Structure formats: C-alpha cells, structure tokens
Amino acid sequence: MSAVGSYNLTAMGQSLWILGIFVNGLASIAGAVNYVTTTLLMRAPGMGLFRLSLTVWSLFVTSILLLLAVPVLSAAGCMLFFDLNFGTSFFLPEGGGDPLLWQHLFWFFGHPEVYIMILPAMGVASDILSPFARKPIFGYKAMVYAMVAIGFLGFIVWGHHMFVSGMALGLSEFFAASTMLIAVPSAIKVFNWLGTIWGGNIRFTTPMLFSLAFVSMFIIGGLSGIFLASTPVNLFVHHTYFVVAHFHYVLFGGSMFAMFAGIYYWFPKMFGKMFDEGLGKLHFWLTLVFFNLTFFPMHNLGLAGMMRRIADPTVYEHLRNLQPVNQFVTLAAIGLGLVQIVFFYNFFRSLFKGKAAPANPWQATTLEWTLTNPIGHGNFPKIPHVYHGPYEYSVPGLKKDYLPQDEKLDEEDSRKMSQALAAAH
Ligand SMILES: [Cu+2]
C-alpha cells in the first residue's frame, strides 16, 4: 500500500528492513568474492586444490552459492522497495503483479541459504573427525564432489517450500524428485564420516563430541527432510511444528553443533590458551540433552496438528490438549538457553586464566597448526611449502602417527613409508 497523507509506517519499516537486507547482501557478496579469489589464486606453493582441507573446500563452495543466491534476494528486495515506495506492482495483484513471484524469488535464495549455513559445518566436522579418529578422511574426493553436488542441486529445489501455494502437479513432482536427490550426496557425506571414524583410535575430546553429535543430529534432520520432500506428506504437515522440528535438527543440531566443535577445536590456536575440557564436556552433554528435549517433541506436536503460525487466538481452544507438551518444550528451550552460560563462562575463563596451549595440541596436520602461539603479524613468518594432503594420520612406516602438510620426508622415511604402504596392499 502506498502512503496516503502522512507516510505509511508499515511501508517505512519494511523499506528499512529491505535496506538492511541489501547492505547485508553486499557484505556477503564482497566476503564471498574474497574467499573465492583467495582459494583459487593465493594458495601456498604445493597446495593443490585436492590438498585443501575440507573446511576450505566447504567455504569455497559456500561462497559460490552466496554469489549466485544473494543477488536474487537483493533484486527481489529492490522490486519490493519499488512496490512500497514508487507505485510499481511487481507483487501487487491489483496492478497486474503476482504475490507468488515474491515467494519464488525469496526461496530461490532461501533454499541455497540453508546450504550456505550447513556446508561450512560439514567442512568443520570433517576437519575434526579425522584428527580425533587418527585416520584420513574416508573418500576425500567424494566428500568434495558431494559438497559441489549439494551446492548445485540446492538451486533446483526451491519449490519444495511452496507445495501448498497451489503449484501445478507436474512442477511439484519435479521439486519433490530433485529434493530427494539431495539425499544422495548428503548420505555420501554421512557414510564417509562413519567410514572415517570406523576402527579409528578415537579421542573423545569436546570438539570431537560436538562433531559426532553434529553427524547424528544431521541424520535425524536429513531423514525428516526426506519426509518433507514428498509432496503429499508435505501438504499434510506443511503448516505444523513438524517443519520447525526438521529445521532445527538441521540448523541447530547441524550448524550450531559444528560451530561449537569449531570454536573448541581452534580455540587453542585463536587465543593461545586451552579451554577447560571438563566444562566443555558438561556444556556438550547438557546442550545435547536439552536440544533433543526441546526439538524432538515438536515432531509429535506437528503430527498432532500444532500450527506454526496462528493469527486467530480462538484456534488455541482446539489445541488445548497439546498444552502440556508445549509447556514441556518451552521449559526445555529455556534450559537449552541457560546451559549456554557454561559455554560463555568457560570461554572467558579460559581466555584469561586458561593454561598456555602448545602450538599443536591435537597433533593435527593442517597448516594453521604449524604456527607458533601467539600467532605473529601476517600469520606465516615465511610462506610454507606443502608436500602432503590434509589428512595424513596413522601413515604406516613413520615414527609419529601424523604427517604435517609442510613436513618434507627425508629419503629413508619416504622409502619406509612406500614399503609399508606396498605391504599393506
Ligand atoms: Cu529448502
């Protein structure tokens, strides 16, 4: 609605919101250009693309998704801004526009955005599972190609958010099929994570626990995702808490758990201090328990008819029998929030009073662990040379069980290593 007389406050609020989205989009695009350029053009000598850690690969793929998805949101925002302020009718039926066009443009950005949030988590979890299982990543190249496939497929599934919009049957079949196809590269990743830790010499540190929980919670969120990809099931549960449950298993159980894993893993390198392992584990177990108490019952609530959005309060009368479960979920959510105090306490206490961290506390192989603590100006005093892949753990024939990426083997060691490898085959 355009302003009549005094300026329309709703339109002003929305216009400012669009401006915010636009500025945020510019920042995302600039950041993505930076990541893509750095990954492609500024690698250390010897650092081939297939020697990059999976975190870097995940950020590279994520950046390409950002470059393709964010401009669409910005353009849609501009169109909305024009509708609100300059009398155009891109989305207004009375002027010949189509409100569904907004949904299409939003979700063309919105679905890839979900992968923008989960892909870096996948990279971080890979970088943590390998050193704490003391085994190379199982199927490194398959992991890379799976991320590329997830990135590509992420652009042709947006319609699964719009099954209830009156979409043509043929179109919804396409979106259902393309969405289910994403289960394939996702399952490749899950099986490769399991293959990585299978038979490993597992160290249950805080970052490892969070990474393992990431994989487990991502499996639950992935499975409910397959339910939601199916159009008839989706029509039934679309407006319910089942979607809220699914979403949080992917983005809290997934992204947030991996984010915590990453913070604990790189804390010693970022700040030169060790965090308190006991408090880290307490934070992990409480988060895992309260997370599941909060979000698992939402599956049941959704199937029982609990709606996501309620405009008419009289509807609550019909939902009265769900009140106890809703109250339980609310209490669990408050618990989940309070538990994070343990994290912040541990974070700041370790920051100021933690014991000094050795340069490579996890005996990991990637380049950041070759830096001394504290890290000097410009990070690397001289540009390192890379000789190996990122996950050389338990290499046969060597004295220690890991081989840093920049460590050149002498002739005797490389001979021993190739002999041991040949004997193993
Ligand atoms: Cu989606």
Side-chain angles (χ1 to χ4, degrees), residues 69 181 231 237 262 315 381 415 425:
L181 214 55
T231 316
V237 295
V315 170
R415 191 174 43 78
H425 280 288

Side-chain angles (χ1 to χ4, degrees), residues 40-226:
L40 288 179
L41 299 177
M42 300 183 73
R43 300 190 307 276
M47 180 63 95
L49 279 176
F50 287 114
R51 281 182 179 171
L52 290 174
S53 76
L54 288 171
T55 298
V56 176
W57 260 110
S58 71
L59 290 172
F60 178 60
V61 176
T62 301
S63 300
I64 293 171
L65 294 194
L66 277 168
L67 288 179
L68 295 173
V70 172
V72 177
L73 182 72
S74 302
C78 282
M79 291 157 80
L80 192 58
F81 193 89
F82 273 59
D83 274 10
L84 287 166
N85 297 294
F86 303 125
T88 57
S89 310
F90 290 109
F91 309 118
L92 298 172
E94 57 266 34
D98 186 354
L100 270 188
L101 177 62
W102 169 261
Q103 279 200 24
H104 277 292
L105 291 173
F106 177 80
W107 284 115
F108 186 82
F109 151 83
H111 188 87
E113 173 63 27
V114 177
Y115 291 109
I116 285 164
M117 287 187 268
I118 194 83
L119 279 169
M122 292 173 160
V124 167
S126 307
D127 267 8
I128 293 173
L129 290 170
S130 179
F132 290 114
R134 310 312 288 171
K135 276 183 65 192
I137 274 285
F138 185 86
Y140 170 89
K141 281 194 177 171
M143 291 298 244
V144 171
Y145 293 135
M147 285 197 282
V148 175
I150 290 172
F152 171 74
L153 289 171
F155 276 101
I156 55 166
V157 299
W158 79 92
H160 64 212
H161 296 275
M162 300 171 61
F163 285 148
V164 296
S165 68
M167 177 183 282
L169 191 61
L171 207 54
S172 78
E173 279 168 355
F174 168 78
F175 283 123
S178 58
T179 304
M180 287 183 196
L181 214 55
I182 294 197
V184 177
S186 307
I188 288 174
K189 297 205 74 76
V190 168
F191 282 115
N192 285 3
W193 284 321
L194 296 181
T196 302
I197 57 174
W198 182 265
N201 192 1
I202 296 178
R203 300 172 181 176
F204 287 105
T205 58
T206 307
M208 182 60 162
L209 289 171
F210 270 107
S211 298
L212 292 170
F214 158 80
V215 176
S216 329
M217 298 303 108
F218 178 71
I219 290 173
I220 299 178
L223 289 177
S224 59
I226 299 177

